[in-house]
Amino acid sequence: MPRYGISVREILKRTVIVEAENAEDAVRKAEEAVERDEVLLDVDDYDDREIAPSEYWEGGRIPDGEDVSCYWRLEGCDGGI
């Protein structure tokens, strides 16, 4: 049976208020704060989830013989890991 790589991406989002001369300056200040670890997102910042075929393989289909031993596996149809 073919194997597929499926990516699960969870998106975290937090809005911060920044005093700045304009939007570009505000974005720059926010980026700098993130780089200094002043803004750290956690589970409370959960916003959305995307589940789609992995971009590592065309259409997500893993070629026969490809070593995927470093990835998680879902075994069986019940969704158990």
Side-chain angles (χ1 to χ4, degrees):
M1 183 174 300
R3 298 177 301 164
Y4 291 85
I6 303 299
S7 294
V8 178
R9 177 179 296 144
E10 292 189 333
I11 300 165
L12 304 179
K13 178 176 76 174
R14 179 183 299 171
T15 299
V16 296
I17 307 305
V18 180
E19 290 185 11
E21 295 296 322
N22 54 50
E24 293 81 15
D25 188 38
V27 168
R28 182 187 56 75
K29 287 181 176 185
E31 288 173 342
E32 290 171 355
V34 169
E35 289 174 13
R36 290 189 305 270
D37 291 335
E38 292 175 16
V39 179
L40 297 173
L41 304 182
D42 60 30
V43 68
D44 292 330
D45 298 303
Y46 175 83
D47 183 59
D48 197 8
R49 177 181 296 130
E50 298 172 358
I51 301 175
S54 173
E55 64 275 7
Y56 298 134
W57 302 281
E58 185 175 339
R61 186 170 179 167
I62 301 167
D64 291 341
E66 179 100 9
D67 179 12
V68 292
S69 60
C70 62
Y71 292 91
W72 281 63
R73 293 178 188 273
L74 297 181
E75 302 295 337
C77 298
D78 63 358
I81 294 179

